[in-house]
Amino acid sequence: MPSHKTATSLLLLTIASPIVDAYIPAAPEKKSVSNPFETLLKPKVGSGLTRVGSLSVPKVGCGTLAWSVDNETGPELSRLVSTAYKQGGGFFDTGERYGSNFKTAFGMGWGETESLIGKLVKENKISEESEVKYQSPIVATKFTPSPWRTSAKSVVEACEESRRRLGVESIDLYQIQMPDIVKPLRAFGVDKTYDEVYWDGLAECYHRGLVKNVGVSNYGPTLVTQCYEHLAKRGVRLASNQIAYSLIGRHNGAQQTLDRCNKLGVKVLAYYPFAMGLLTGKYSLERNPELSAESALTNTLSLYTSRRSNLERKDLESYVNGNGKSIPVGGIAPLLRTMERIAENNNATVSQVALNYIISKGAIPIPGARTKAQYDDNMGALRWRLSAKEVSQMEVEADNLGISFDGAGFKRSDAKFVGYGMEKWSLT
């Protein structure tokens, strides 16, 4: 049997997998908002590109949380990365905690997905002798706040490891995955936070040339402003803030966070842009495309044959069908009907409508993709734009539902399951 010491170590090491998967009708920045990096915020980019700090990236990214190393998915992921090269490089988001390995889930064996991405990017690199020149993919990764990481040096050391696994001299975008909330000894009064220490670590990584840009994740308006000002004093620009944001996930501080980031010139990256699949229609329509949206939503066959856990399915089913309490009977059917009509009018998919909504707000959606077909469909959102009228119609339908999507099961947009329980943060 494991010793008490070993069990305690595992408890401290157990941190939930990072969240991946953020908008702008941004109001013009008021002159009262001080922004020392303003001259850097007006890059000349193509219609399908935008800026994240010094980077020129596609307006749709690609989340890698579900990537794994096996004979079945390996060739498909290789085709996905090859396609990204040929379409302009791609923008991949990962983290040191991402990986399918069982050890990774218990705080060991970190870096599986980083190593996989590094390998795939290297293998699919176009020959230098090729007449057609392609841009290499942009890769963002994340540092995970942990109880044993209490110094700026720990950030630098983690960055060095990520850099080695990715096989790069300098990481394109290095982010902090979440506020410093994992405090297993909080009940005993041990709950000191090290957010500012981590910010110093980011600045040190930047000044050493280990990273090209720095960002954060799951920071609300207050914390993102504090981080922005802290880094600015050290001559470092905060490039991004990754938060959960979707058509039905604009509440509980997400919209206020987006607005504040817009004023600061901090790019918002949106995870859960599909609200864990709800806004793709796949839990209702893919099994029987002849059904109307309303009747199809009563058929949860697709949901129950998905890869979701039982807890996730139960929560998602409430959004699909409604529970007559917090979610109206009929669930999100009225919104999906509007999205289907808009998709048809634009010769697009419902998924592309969901992504295009986020693009219309000036944020970068980070949908997950494990196949070339999924990646191609996501990138199809770049070929057209929603009209202001269509955006308004969807927002009205979404707001009329009176709901706020905050995740499902143990995958939440405001909390992490960390072995000993759930630790929460707030976008305030």
Side-chain angles (χ1 to χ4, degrees), residues 170-332:
S170 182
I171 296 173
D172 295 317
L173 175 62
Y174 195 54
Q175 309 157 93
I176 296 175
Q177 184 216 327
M178 60 187 176
D180 186 25
I181 59 171
V182 182
K183 305 298 174 185
L185 301 179
R186 192 189 306 275
F188 302 97
V190 182
D191 60 353
K192 179 180 178 180
T193 59
Y194 293 89
D195 293 300
E196 291 191 11
V197 171
Y198 296 153
W199 303 341
D200 286 334
L202 287 183
E204 186 65 23
C205 290
Y206 178 82
H207 287 305
R208 291 192 186 190
L210 303 178
V211 303
K212 299 173 184 174
N213 297 273
V214 300
V216 294
S217 303
N218 300 303
Y219 276 30
T222 300
L223 198 57
V224 78
T225 300
Q226 292 172 351
C227 180
Y228 174 90
E229 294 174 348
H230 187 95
L231 289 174
K233 291 176 182 178
R234 298 200 56 178
V236 180
R237 175 188 173 194
L238 180 62
S240 65
N241 183 22
Q242 187 168 155
I243 63 173
Y245 192 98
S246 70
L247 188 54
I248 59 174
R250 293 174 286 127
H251 307 291
N252 292 340
Q255 188 61 55
Q256 293 91 328
T257 299
L258 173 64
D259 294 341
R260 186 55 183 161
C261 286
N262 291 337
K263 290 181 180 180
L264 294 173
V266 175
K267 197 69 173 181
V268 169
L269 311 182
Y271 69 85
Y272 289 168
F274 296 141
M276 295 180 71
L278 291 171
L279 298 181
T280 66
K282 71 178 183 178
Y283 293 148
S284 56
L285 302 178
E286 69 178 3
R287 299 299 176 183
N288 191 347
E290 296 180 358
L291 293 175
S292 67
E294 186 169 12
S295 60
L297 279 168
T298 64
N299 182 355
T300 55
L301 175 62
S302 177
L303 177 58
Y304 278 87
T305 55
S306 72
R307 302 174 65 191
R308 299 294 182 188
S309 70
N310 289 336
L311 283 176
E312 290 168 9
R313 289 174 187 145
K314 181 178 179 181
D315 287 346
L316 291 173
E317 185 181 3
S318 294
Y319 289 100
V320 171
N321 295 326
N323 57 22
K325 298 176 182 178
S326 58
I327 303 172
V329 174
I332 61 172

Side-chain angles (χ1 to χ4, degrees), residues 81 84-85 88-92 117 121 125 134-139 172:
V81 174
Y85 260 111
F91 178 31
F92 294 96
I117 291 177
V121 169
K125 184 176 182 179
Y134 297 105
Q135 178 178 322
S136 295
I138 300 296
V139 179
D172 295 317

